[in-house]
Structures are given as C-alpha cells and as structure tokens.
C-alpha cells in the first residue's frame, strides 16, 4: 500500500521518557500522548499511542504524522484502528470524559514542517468508537479494537500531514493506514487500460483511453471509466485482431498453418478454402495449390479455382459468306460460374495459296459479339467468299489470366466460305448462241480478275465440256447446236485462285437464226432450271436414310430396358434392413426357387468362411434352361451371417437393368441357402482384364465403361449408394457386357479383401476406391460412388492394374489429401484421363454425375477421333490411327464378330449387340452397308 503504514513503524512520539524513539526523520509532536507497549489479543506486543486525561477538563492533546507524499492521489483514505474506554465505566469523570477524537489534515509541499499552527489543520471528522470497553483487564484480554475509515480530498499540494486531536477521551491508537485507490491495469475488448488513480470526488469518473494489444488494430476508440471505488465502468469501443491473428484469452494469437484471417473484422481464423493451403502461422490469405488460381476480385474465402477446359463440340454451319458457330460449354468449369467465350485468334487465308492466316478484318460482323460472350452461339457474317477461316473459341473465366492458360481452353474449327455466282441469266438466245450474264459473287475475297464459264451439252453430261474466260460478267457463247439443252457453271478467280463453280444452270438454244431484239420482250426462253434438283433428291435421300438411322437409334434406345428406368423418383431402392423380419424383405424382392430345378456344376469362387460360388443351370418350368451362378451359404452360419447373406438378394432383387447383375431367385427354405443370379461367363472384370492385357481397342474399353456407368446411373436414380464400386465387383459376360454386382451393406465393408480399417472410422473401407470424404467422415453418396467409378476407369484402361500400385493405405490417404491423383495409364486417351480427374475432384459437388459421365462416354463412342490423343509414350492410338475399318475384334469373342468388326463394335458401344446376328444374317456387315438399311 503506497501510503499505508502501521504507525509504530513510522511514528515517533515526543516523550521525554522515551528519548530514543524521537530520533530519526518521522517525528511527531505530541502533548500528553504516550507511546506504550501493550499485548494484543494474541499476546503479541504492539506499540500504541495512548492518552487518557479523563479527569481533567479542557483537554487538547495533538498527535501529528510526518509529511505524507500524495504520489498523484487525489483522494486518500485513512484507516484508524484504536481502542476507546467507556466513560461510564470510569468513576468520577462526569463532564470531562469524552468518547471521541478528531481527525485533521493539512496539505503542504514542505516535507519537514517543524511547527504547524492548530488553525492550519482542517478537520476531517470526529471519530467515535463502534465499540468501547469498560475496563482494561490485561489478564482477561477484553480490549475491543475499532476500525474506522475516513477519506479526504487532497489535491492542492505535494503531500499532507494528518493529526489526531484528543479532547479528553481515553484512547489507544493501534494503527493508522493511509492509502488511495486505483482501477487496476486491465484488458477489455482487446485494449489495455493502465493502472489508474481514482478521481478526487466520490462521484467522479476518470475517463481512460485504452491502447490496442499487440497484433491488433482499433475498431473504435477504446475507452473506459475509472470509478471512485476502483472499479472500471462502461467499456466503449475496442480493437480487432489484425489480419492473420485471432482473439484468444484477451490476446491476439497468430492463425495456425492451414488457417487464415483476411480482414481484422473477421470473427476468427478460418480453415483454408478448398484447393489452397497456408504453411506458416499468421496467414492473411491461403496460397492456392499448384494448378489452382484466384482472380483479383475473388475473396480470400473463395476456393481456388481453375480455368475452364476447352469448349466442347464446336460445330460450324456455313451459309454462303456467313458462318454459324455453336459449341457446348466446357466439361470442366474449374469451379467457377463466370465462364465466357472469346475469339482470341481468328484468321483467314486463301485456300489455294499457303500464305499464313491473317487476323480477320474489322468489317467482319459477330452477333451477338466477339468477346465476353455468355452464349454458346455466334453468327459471323460479312466474311469473304471462298476463303478459309479458322475460328478459335476460347473459354475464359476469372482465373484464365492468372493461370496463363491458353490453347488448352480453346477449340477451333476451320471453315471455307462459299464463292457463289448465285444465278446465271440467259439474255439472248438464238439457234447457235446464248448470251449469258450473272451477278458478281457476294463479298469476293479480293478483286475478281476473271470469270470462267464451263458448259456442256446436257446429254453429254460432263464427258466433254468447253471453257471460256471473260473479264466481264457476261459472255456470248457461240457455235452451239440448235434446240439443244446446255448446262452452264460459272466461277470467279481472284488473286487467291478460283472459287467454287456455281450450281448448274440449263439453257436451250432455239431454232431462230437471230436474237429477237427490239420486241420489248426478252424472248429468250429462259430455262432457269434448278438443275440441282437431282442433287437435292440425292441429298434428301441421304437425309432420309440418316435421319431414319438416327431415329432408329434413338427409338431403339428409348425402347431399351435402360430407358424404362430413366424416370427417377418412380422407383426408389428400399433398404432391406428397415424390415424387422429379414425374411419378409427377401420374399418381397426375390423369388423362392425350388432347389430341384437347380443343377450345380462346378465351384468358381469363394465368399468368406461359409460361402462359395458355383456355376450351374436353372430350369424353371415353362422356361428354357439357363446358365446361372449359385452363391451358397453353408450350414454353421450365425443369424447375422444369414441376414447379411440374404440382404444381397433383397437388394439385387429390386434392380432390373442390363448393367446390373440379375437375380433369378433364392433358396431359403432348405440348406444351404442359395442366391441364384445370371451367369457371367468372363467372371470379375479385374481378373478378366489382367488375363487379356492389351487386347482390346479403346472403343471396347470405353464400351465397358459405358455399361458400368449406365448401371451406376440406374442405381443412383434409385438412390442406391454402392460404396464398393471396383473392377473386382463388376462381372463380365460372354458379350463383354459389364454388370455391377456385390450388393449388401455389411458385405461391402466386411467381406471385401480390399476393405481396411482406417484410423478415423471403426468400419472397414476399401481405401483405394473410396472418396476422401467417405474415408474421413463416412459420407457415402452417389458422388463418392463417382469417385470410385473414376478408379474403375483407371483399372479398366490399365487392364486391371492395382490402383496406387503397392503404396500402403495410409500413404494413399495422405497423397490424395495433398492433391495427388493417379496418372493416365499407358495409352490412355487424354479425354478419359480428364474424366477420371473430374471424378476425383476433392469437392464432391464438382464431380460429374453418372448421367453426365454416360453422356460423355456416348459422345466419345460416337466420335472415336476424340479418343485418339493420348498422353502415353506409345504412338498414340495405334489401332485407332489405322482407321475404324481395319481393326479386328478381340480374341475372346471370335464367334460374335463378323469380319467387318465395326458393326459389332458399334452395336456394342450403344448396348445393342444383341442385334448383331440379325444384322449379320441380313448382310449388314460393314458400316457402309448400314447406310443402305431400310425400314423393311
Ligand atoms: P462375389 O460374391 O461377387 O464376391 O463372388 C466371388 C467370385 O465369384 C467373383 O469374383 C466371381 O469370380 C465369381 N462370381 C460371382 N458371381 C458370379 C456370376 N454371377 N457369374 C460368374 N461368376 C461369378
């Protein structure tokens, strides 16, 4: 306590019989106050100042302290401990005895005032005892100690003196403590408020401005008030932790690695958004993973994104000198929604010369525009005729510039505009001549240097024709035979070369020797015949065939079993475990088969401890005998094993799709329990591919993937999440049709040899095939099935290679977490690897749906050229390079393939291979021959 002291240590009494006490600095002038040693109630000796002149009237005995420095205090507190004798207990003191004393103070700058007048002291208070005592009986120790506190404002001098005036009481001062109050140093709202001395008056508040703690900045001026009793009041304003720091226990602590805080006003540190990281503490923004970017306008809370992939399926339709370009949005939008399209480069060049492309002139018109297009269609007009143009459509988004991405996001198409002399007129006709004229072609690609006229007798066809050249837009053709029909074509020549010949125009000579001029009528009988009729007929015939083929395809597609199920919401998978009685579920979804109709042939596989898979035959009454697989559970199983075993059938029995293994029925009424499914001659896909390493064409592999995707789309439409999609769980039949198998919840996790325990979850998970969110949070969804599908794609294209080779599971999890993804297998088409990478997007919402995957694969099958580009070291697509017609079917299917394999493969790719024999028998053995297919 700054000023508080027990007076025996500081005080000195002026007493002749204690002269030694009066030495030293802290002297007190006293009259009849005596320094006396007494024992306190604990029998410890204490020094007191006593006065007790109760018998004498008019007492005025003063006891004064040394100078006490104020030390900045404005109001000081004086705590006095004393004992006081009850006057009533003293005989014969009536009138003279008092039971109070007075407390005085005197402010002064003088440290050692030897004499201070009585009148210089200001009275603080008259102090009475709460408890007085009646007799001093040291033996009984009944002395009663009073504690009284008085406060006084001391503001004018550097210090003060205190004095005690006795007016005739019997008092012993035991201690005097002098102190002042402060509001202690504190931190409020991230601002530090210093130790503050309270105000002079009991009601005064001292306004204090706080200062922001380390690593923080002012939000609003931090202020608080220090009350007279030393309490802080009314905090106002405060500070925010600086970017990169967050509040913890009243201080600002740096965000740890993996977290960031961008703005001081943010509530705290946030986890780095997807595709970004922070390696050091105190990050204000997270750095993007390599390959990911952030646009200047992207907030730090936004995931890092990528530029879009190239626009897809750019098609062009040329109409004379205008071109309509249409394309599909990029497959991968990079996690952004601000894709737009530009033509960063576009050029024109002449067809015949090898000159370099030049940028298009400003006279070319783009509708709706050339840059920043949000639509996927543009009409380019006012092009030059008969000119070669390359249009490069560039997909951009907010991070295209930051990523420096270029060609990867663009797609180009080259077109040639038409040079057309659109019509030819015969202005004069005679027996031997024809005068013709025509209009200049629209927007020629340069100055027209001359026209070339080709003509021949219609009957002669083009076997013999004549050519005439002219600088003007008319020509007189002479030396013709009378009454003969001639066919004319005109083409123009510019510095760039000749354009296209016009369509044929037919004119006939007549029998008149002279032209009939002057009659006011152009008597030439103008035979402006649209001789393209023949061609038109041909075209319409072709259109008819093609459209019929198309409609046939789409119709068959609609008719296919697959399409029947495309209406989601109609049928939803029912979890058999929701049935209290598992037998009820099994009989609802599976047919009970009489065991006598099953003929088991051989064991083809084992399942767990009690199960085996056999092949055999099933003959149901009234139906032809079929090959089946029989999965059986031998005696000795537990209830749980029975339930789990049958759950697979309950699940399978709900599905009906060409790419899902079909359940024929179950045997539950006798032992062993059996599940009968269709027989898949080629067993599981992984083993099948390993056995036939490198033997399939890319189209065949894509065909298999298409089948699996189709089955998975069906399952996802039924809201069934497979959880263990892997090549080992796909079965292949003799037609190379892949079917998804292995259903049942516990089977998935318990029976799969690939399923392993992870450190985070208690159930087993096939780590290599499973999406990160499913491993970490058990978040199994269709999107996690899509991840697994990507792994299956990789397995298929690599012919059954083990995903992540011999890396251990923990390393796989870590690698995936750090952004590693399986590279493209050898000879893998770039588009397929890209599709795999899309399936392995960390954000599950970014992964494609099975429906999108299916569409994509269908497109690839329809345009095999897109599969040609590979990233591998072998020459790209050797088999494809040689052209579709030169490939042979794989050896496993020799009997199903006609020598012109492409019909077979085409049927396979669209899932209609069941028609191959019918087509082959009808003589449709090549794609060319299919063109001649008629309704009949
Ligand atoms: P699973 O119960 O699917 O694990 O069956 C074990 C093994 O039996 C599989 O890997 C296949 O080789 C074989 N298998 C299962 N079902 C069939 C089936 N329907 N057709 C042919 N082989 C099958």
């Amino acid at each position: 306590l700054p000023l508080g002291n027990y007076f025996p240590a500081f005080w000195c009494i002026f007493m002749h019989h204690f002269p030694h006490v009066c030495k030293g600095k802290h002297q007190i002038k006293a009259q009849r106050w005596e320094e006396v040693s007494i024992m306190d109630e604990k029998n410890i000796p204490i020094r007191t100042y006593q006065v007790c002149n109760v018998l004498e009237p008019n007492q005025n005995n003063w006891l004064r302290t040394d100078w006490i420095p104020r030390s900045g205090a404005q109001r000081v507190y004086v705590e006095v401990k004393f004992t006081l004798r009850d006057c009533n207990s003293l005989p014969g003191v009536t009138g003279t005895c008092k039971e109070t004393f007075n407390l005085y103070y005197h402010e002064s700058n003088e440290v050692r005032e030897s004499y201070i007048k009585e009148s210089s002291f200001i009275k603080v208070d008259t102090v009475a005892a709460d408890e007085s005592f009646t007799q001093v009986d040291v033996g009984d120790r009944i002395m009663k100690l009073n504690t009284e506190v008085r406060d006084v404002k001391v503001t004018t001098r550097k210090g003060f003196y205190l004095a005690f005036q006795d007016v005739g009481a019997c008092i012993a001062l035991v201690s005097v403590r002098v102190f002042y109050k402060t509001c202690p140093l504190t931190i409020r709202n991230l601002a530090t408020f210093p130790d503050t001395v309270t105000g002079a008056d009991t009601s005064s508040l001292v306004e204090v401005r706080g200062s922001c703690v380390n690593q923080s900045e002012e939000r609003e001026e931090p202020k608080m008030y220090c009350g007279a009793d030393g309490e802080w009041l009314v905090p106002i304003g405060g500070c925010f932790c600086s970017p990169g720091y967050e509040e913890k226990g009243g201080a600002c602590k740096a965000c740890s690695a993996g977290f960031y805080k961008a703005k001081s006003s943010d509530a705290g540190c946030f986890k780095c958004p997807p595709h970004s990281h922070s390696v050091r503490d105190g990050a204000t923004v997270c750095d993007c993973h390599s390959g990911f970017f952030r646009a200047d306008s992207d907030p730090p809370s936004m995931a890092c994104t990528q530029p879009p992939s190239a626009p897809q399926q750019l098609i062009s339709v040329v109409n004379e000198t205008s071109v309509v370009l249409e394309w599909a949005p990029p497959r991968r939008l990079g996690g952004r929604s601000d894709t737009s399209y530009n033509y960063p480069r576009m050029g024109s060049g002449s067809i015949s010369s090898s000159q370099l492309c030049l940028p298009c002139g400003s006279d070319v018109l783009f509708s709706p525009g050339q840059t920043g297009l949000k639509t996927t269609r543009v009409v380019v007009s006012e092009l030059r005729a008969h000119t070669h143009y390359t249009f490069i459509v560039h997909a951009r988004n907010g991070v295209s510039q930051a990523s420096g991405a270029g060609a990867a996001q663009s797609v180009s198409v080259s077109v040639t505009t038409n040079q057309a002399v659109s019509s030819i007129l015969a202005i004069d006709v005679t027996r031997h001549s024809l005068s013709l004229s025509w209009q200049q072609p629209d927007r020629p690609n340069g100055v027209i240097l001359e026209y070339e006229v080709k003509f021949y007798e219609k009957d002669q066809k083009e076997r013999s024709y004549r050519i005439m050249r002219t600088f003007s837009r008319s020509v007189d053709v002479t030396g013709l035979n009378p009454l003969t029909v001639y066919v004319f074509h005109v083409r123009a020549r510019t510095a760039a070369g000749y354009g296209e010949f016009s369509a044929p125009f037919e004119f006939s000579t007549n029998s008149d020797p002279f032209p009939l001029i002057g009659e006011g009528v152009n008597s030439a009988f103008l035979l402006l015949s649209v001789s393209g009729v023949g061609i038109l007929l041909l075209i319409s015939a072709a259109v008819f065939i093609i459209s019929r083929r198309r409609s046939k395809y789409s119709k068959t597609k609609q008719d296919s079993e697959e399409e029947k199920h495309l209406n989601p919401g109609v049928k939803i998978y029912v979890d058999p475990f929701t049935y209290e009685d598992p037998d009820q579920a099994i009989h609802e979804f599976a047919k009970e088969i009489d065991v006598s109709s099953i003929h088991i042939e051989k064991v083809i596989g084992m399942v767990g401890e009690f199960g085996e898979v056999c092949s055999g035959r099933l003959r149901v009454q009234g139906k032809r005998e079929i090959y089946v697989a029989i999965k059986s559970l031998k005696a000795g199983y537990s209830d749980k094993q029975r339930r789990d075993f049958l759950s697979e059938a309950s699940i399978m029995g709900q599905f009906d799709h060409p790419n899902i293994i079909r359940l024929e029925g179950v045997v539950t009424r006798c032992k062993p329990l059996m599940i009968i499914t269709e027989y898949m001659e080629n067993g599981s896909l992984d083993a099948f591919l390993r056995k036939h390493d490198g033997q399939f064409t890319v189209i065949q592999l894509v065909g298999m993937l298409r089948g699996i995707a189709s089955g998975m789309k069906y399952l996802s439409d039924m809201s069934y999440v497979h959880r263990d999609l892997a090549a080992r769980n796909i079965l292949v039949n003799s037609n190379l049709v892949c079917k998804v198998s292995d259903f049942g919840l516990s089977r998935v996790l318990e029976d799969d040899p690939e399923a392993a325990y992870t450190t985070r979850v208690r159930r087993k998970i096939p780590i290599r095939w499973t999406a990160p969110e499913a491993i970490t949070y058990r978040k199994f969804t269709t999107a996690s099935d899509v991840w697994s599908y990507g792994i299956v794609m990789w397995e298929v294209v690599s012919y059954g290679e083990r995903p992540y080779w011999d890396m251990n599971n923990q390393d796989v999890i870590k690698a995936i977490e750090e952004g590693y993804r399986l590279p493209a297998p050898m000879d893998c088409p770039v588009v397929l690897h890209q599709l795999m990478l899309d399936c392995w997007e960390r954000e599950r919402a970014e992964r494609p749906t099975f429906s999108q995957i299916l569409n994509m694969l269908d497109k690839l099958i329809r345009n095999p050229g897109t599969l040609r580009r590979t990233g591998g070291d072998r020459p790209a697509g050797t088999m494809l390079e040689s052209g579709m017609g030169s490939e042979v079917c794989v050896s496993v299917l020799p009997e199903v393939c006609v020598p012109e394999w492409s019909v077979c493969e085409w049927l396979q790719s669209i899932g209609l291979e069941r028609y191959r024999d019918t087509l082959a028998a009808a003589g449709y053995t090549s794609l060319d021959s299919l063109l001649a297919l008629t309704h009949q």
Side-chain angles (χ1 to χ4, degrees):
L1 296 168
L3 299 182
N5 297 289
Y6 286 93
F7 78 81
F10 275 173
W11 295 55
C12 178
I13 194 159
F14 180 76
M15 281 181 59
H16 61 276
H17 53 275
F18 284 125
H20 62 280
V21 183
C22 301
K23 288 181 190 144
K25 286 190 267 178
H26 307 285
Q27 288 200 359
I28 286 181
K29 299 275 185 267
Q31 282 181 327
R32 309 197 62 188
W33 284 83
E34 290 175 310
E35 187 184 8
V36 177
S37 285
I38 59 166
M39 297 295 185
D40 71 2
E41 64 269 42
K42 289 179 187 142
N43 248 349
I44 296 167
I46 53 168
R47 303 278 279 179
T48 66
Y49 287 88
Q50 294 190 3
V51 65
C52 195
N53 299 327
V54 287
L55 292 173
E56 294 166 35
N58 305 322
Q59 290 299 306
N60 186 20
N61 306 316
W62 286 75
L63 178 69
R64 165 169 69 85
T65 66
D66 272 352
W67 184 77
I68 302 170
R70 182 157 71 86
S71 304
Q74 306 198 72
R75 174 161 292 273
V76 294
Y77 295 78
V78 182
E79 180 198 81
V80 185
K81 292 194 173 172
F82 62 96
T83 61
L84 197 122
R85 181 76 188 259
D86 178 4
C87 286
N88 292 334
S89 66
L90 296 168
V93 296
T94 326
T96 54
C97 179
K98 300 283 178 326
E99 291 186 354
T100 59
F101 65 91
N102 296 321
L103 175 65
Y104 286 86
Y105 77 104
H106 164 66
E107 291 193 71
S108 167
N109 288 332
E110 299 243 355
V111 177
R112 219 169 289 144
E113 275 192 74
S114 52
Y115 176 73
I116 307 168
K117 283 191 285 173
E118 247 183 72
S119 59
S120 303
F121 280 94
I122 302 166
K123 186 168 169 182
V124 179
D125 203 2
T126 297
V127 183
D130 290 333
E131 307 238 30
S132 53
F133 63 97
T134 49
Q135 75 184 93
V136 180
D137 183 339
V138 175
D140 288 336
R141 312 248 45 90
I142 51 166
M143 188 176 80
K144 296 197 174 149
L145 196 62
N146 294 282
T147 302
E148 292 290 330
V149 181
R150 297 291 181 272
D151 54 293
V152 58
K153 181 172 162 182
V154 281
T155 50
T156 58
R157 302 284 193 279
K158 285 188 191 150
F160 55 91
Y161 295 88
L162 291 176
F164 303 86
Q165 182 196 24
D166 165 52
V167 287
C170 194
I171 326 164
L173 284 181
V174 175
S175 78
V176 174
R177 195 164 66 98
V178 182
F179 59 92
Y180 61 86
K181 292 186 182 177
T182 64
C183 292
L185 179 140
T186 188
I187 293 177
R188 246 1 122 76
N189 299 338
L190 291 175
T192 310
F193 294 87
D195 197 29
T196 303
V197 176
T198 56
D201 298 310
T202 46
S203 59
S204 65
L205 295 177
V206 181
E207 185 183 304
V208 183
R209 199 187 176 289
S211 49
C212 290
V213 300
N214 282 347
Q215 309 297 352
S216 72
E217 48 200 56
E218 207 168 283
R219 161 167 56 94
E220 196 190 315
E221 186 183 28
K223 267 196 305 193
M224 248 198 317
Y225 294 92
C226 177
D229 56 355
E231 292 290 325
W232 286 107
L233 303 166
V234 204
I236 302 169
C239 308
F240 284 137
C241 286
S242 307
Y245 291 83
E246 68 180 342
E247 180 174 358
K248 266 191 194 146
C252 290
K253 297 277 181 319
C255 299
S256 38
F259 289 78
Y260 77 102
K261 192 178 119 178
K263 284 189 280 161
S264 49
S265 57
D266 289 343
C269 298
F270 298 109
K271 204 166 162 22
C272 284
H275 310 302
S276 69
H277 61 279
S278 64
V279 283
R280 280 199 203 89
D281 290 354
T284 55
V285 66
C286 296
D287 298 327
C288 290
H289 291 164
S290 95
F292 288 84
F293 308 90
R294 199 172 269 135
D296 289 344
S297 56
D298 288 351
S301 58
M302 188 171 143
C304 289
T305 52
Q306 291 181 305
S309 52
Q312 303 182 95
Q313 300 144 18
L314 174 60
I315 55 161
S316 59
V317 179
V318 180
N319 180 10
E320 299 282 329
T321 53
S322 59
V323 178
V324 178
L325 298 172
E326 270 187 272
W327 58 92
R331 248 209 57 63
R332 199 168 36 75
L333 296 178
R336 306 182 65 90
S337 55
D338 56 352
T339 306
S340 65
Y341 307 96
N342 286 347
Y343 305 97
R345 284 180 287 130
M346 206 190 74
S348 65
S350 106
I351 294 174
S352 54
S353 75
S354 56
Q355 74 190 86
L356 287 174
C357 282
L358 301 167
C360 283
S362 56
D363 46 350
V364 174
L365 291 182
F366 292 86
S367 171
Q370 193 178 1
T371 54
L373 280 187
K374 291 287 176 193
T375 57
T376 55
R377 183 177 192 272
V378 71
V379 181
V380 190
S381 51
E382 308 280 297
L383 295 165
R384 280 182 297 167
H386 190 55
T387 305
H388 204 75
Y389 283 89
T390 298
F391 295 93
I392 301 167
V393 183
H394 194 135
R396 293 183 60 79
N397 65 16
V399 295
S400 292
Q401 202 175 0
S403 67
Q409 302 149 344
S410 57
V411 60
S412 66
V413 66
S414 293
V415 299
T416 304
T417 51
N418 297 333
Q419 171 101 341
V421 168
S422 48
S423 66
I424 305 172
L425 292 178
I427 41 177
D428 279 323
V429 181
T430 70
R431 200 143 49 121
H432 296 293
S433 70
L434 284 165
S435 292
L436 305 176
S437 96
W438 52 85
Q439 288 295 311
Q440 177 179 295
D442 197 22
R443 296 183 59 76
N445 63 337
V447 176
I448 294 180
L449 304 175
E450 65 177 359
Y451 291 97
E452 191 176 81
V453 181
K454 179 167 108 175
F455 63 96
Y456 46 87
E457 281 181 33
K458 191 179 176 189
D459 291 347
Q460 293 288 313
K461 303 248 168 72
E462 274 191 77
R463 280 192 292 274
S464 86
Y465 57 82
R466 278 167 60 195
I467 295 275
M468 289 179 74
R469 296 205 170 88
T470 169
F471 298 113
S472 66
R473 284 185 282 106
S474 61
V475 70
D476 293 331
V477 188
T478 55
L480 303 176
N481 295 327
L483 294 169
T484 306
V485 178
Y486 285 86
V487 178
F488 291 84
H489 299 269
V490 178
R491 67 177 179 177
R493 182 167 75 85
T494 63
Y498 279 110
E500 297 279 297
F501 271 117
S502 68
F505 289 85
E506 292 182 10
F507 303 99
S508 177
T509 48
N510 58 23
S511 54
D512 297 330
F514 303 104
L516 298 173
I517 300 170
E519 293 212 1
V521 181
N522 184 348
S523 63
F525 62 95
L526 188 148
L527 245 173
L528 190 96
S529 71
V530 182
S531 60
V533 161
I535 291 171
L536 266 181
L537 276 175
L538 269 177
I539 291 172
S540 18
V543 166
F544 170 67
I545 291 171
I546 290 166
S547 64
R548 209 166 41 72
R549 277 178 60 219
R550 284 227 176 113
S551 65
K552 169 95 181 152
Y553 169 55
S554 53
K555 186 171 182 314
T556 358
K557 207 174 159 200
Q558 277 163 22
D559 284 348
S560 76
E561 285 164 270
E562 171 192 331
E563 288 295 308
K564 275 190 229 152
H565 302 285
L566 285 183
N567 196 359
V570 170
K571 206 172 161 197
I572 296 284
Y573 145 81
V574 182
D575 182 358
F577 287 90
T578 56
Y579 284 73
E580 246 174 59
D581 173 10
D583 281 323
Q584 192 193 338
I586 193 81
H587 290 122
E588 195 158 333
F589 299 121
K591 196 168 68 189
E592 182 74 28
I593 290 180
D594 189 340
V595 76
S596 64
S597 56
I598 302 164
H599 175 80
I600 295 178
E601 282 175 350
K602 62 171 188 229
V603 178
I604 55 172
M606 295 300 294
V607 192
E609 203 184 334
F610 297 103
E612 62 182 20
V613 186
C614 299
S615 63
R617 281 168 288 137
L618 171 74
R619 181 189 289 278
V620 179
Q621 240 187 355
K623 286 193 182 165
R624 71 185 168 88
E625 190 178 70
I626 53 166
Y627 279 101
V628 287
I630 304 137
K631 209 178 268 187
S632 57
L633 188 65
K634 287 195 222 129
Y637 50 76
S638 66
D639 266 352
K640 182 178 178 302
Q641 277 167 323
R642 177 180 193 273
R643 211 180 48 233
D644 289 351
F645 180 79
L646 292 178
S647 76
E648 187 176 19
S650 301
I651 292 167
M652 219 188 301
Q654 299 181 48
F655 303 143
D656 178 15
H657 187 273
N659 296 102
I660 305 289
I661 193 82
R662 190 180 67 249
L663 177 75
E664 296 296 345
V666 289
V667 176
T668 61
R669 304 224 164 98
C670 56
K671 286 184 181 164
L673 296 178
M674 291 184 206
I675 297 176
I676 322 293
T677 61
E678 66 179 306
Y679 182 60
M680 301 293 283
E681 294 82 348
N682 282 310
S684 56
L685 178 60
D686 60 338
F688 174 67
L689 287 171
R690 280 195 282 271
K691 199 162 129 204
H692 297 284
D693 190 1
Q695 293 179 3
F696 302 121
T697 63
V698 178
I699 285 282
Q700 283 175 309
L701 297 179
V702 175
M704 296 178 199
L705 290 173
R706 194 231 175 246
I708 304 167
S710 173
M712 288 308 297
K713 177 186 175 311
Y714 171 81
L715 292 182
S716 68
D717 285 347
M718 284 195 68
S719 304
Y720 178 81
V721 179
H722 190 287
R723 296 176 179 222
D724 198 10
L725 178 59
R728 65 183 169 279
N729 291 330
I730 303 293
L731 293 168
V732 189
N733 72 9
S734 60
N735 292 335
L736 227 62
V737 175
C738 291
K739 306 202 180 196
V740 181
S741 79
D742 274 58
F743 303 97
L745 295 175
S746 60
R747 276 185 49 71
V748 170
L749 305 168
E750 302 306 332
D751 286 354
D752 191 334
E754 281 297 342
Y757 288 105
T758 67
T759 47
R760 298 180 209 178
V761 292
R762 264 174 279 124
R763 293 198 90 172
K764 280 179 163 184
I765 283 179
I767 302 293
R768 281 152 216 273
W769 282 263
T770 306
E773 75 277 4
I775 296 177
T776 313
Y777 306 112
R778 292 191 53 72
K779 186 90 195 135
F780 285 97
T781 57
T782 292
S784 62
D785 276 352
V786 166
W787 178 290
S788 312
Y789 179 81
I791 303 287
V792 172
M793 285 184 75
W794 192 89
E795 292 185 276
V796 168
V797 183
S798 62
Y799 285 91
E801 179 66 80
R802 180 169 163 74
Y804 312 97
W805 308 275
D806 52 6
M807 278 166 74
N808 68 38
N809 281 342
Q810 280 318 311
D811 286 352
V812 170
I813 294 174
K814 224 160 67 201
I816 292 298
E817 187 66 29
E818 284 165 17
Y820 173 84
R821 296 293 183 269
L822 282 167
M826 192 166 70
D827 288 345
C828 176
V830 171
V831 277
L832 284 189
H833 187 235
Q834 186 53 52
L835 186 56
M836 296 177 201
L837 293 175
D838 293 342
C839 294
W840 302 329
E841 279 286 352
R842 172 181 295 278
E843 290 305 306
R844 61 196 163 98
E846 300 247 353
R847 295 173 204 153
T849 61
F850 279 117
S851 174
Q852 288 167 325
I853 293 172
L854 197 58
N855 280 340
M856 175 77 181
L857 295 176
D858 279 340
K859 268 184 204 147
L860 295 182
I861 290 166
R862 281 199 292 270
N863 303 294
T866 46
L867 291 163
R868 222 171 269 175
R869 207 157 68 85
T870 67
D873 1 328
R874 266 198 228 159
T878 36
M879 289 185 285
L880 283 165
E881 215 73 294
S882 58
M884 297 271 286
S886 62
E887 286 192 64
V888 287
C889 244
V890 287
S891 54
V892 289
L893 296 168
E895 76 284 8
V896 302
C897 297
V898 287
E900 294 280 344
W901 64 272
S902 49
V903 175
C904 146
E905 201 164 58
W906 174 65
L907 286 173
Q908 254 173 22
S909 72
I910 57 174
L912 294 179
E913 61 274 32
R914 60 183 178 280
Y915 293 114
R916 66 175 182 269
D917 296 341
T918 322
L919 285 177
Y924 296 103
T925 53
S926 70
L927 277 186
D928 282 349
S929 63
L930 280 179
L931 289 174
L933 199 68
T934 66
H935 268 296
Q936 283 69 40

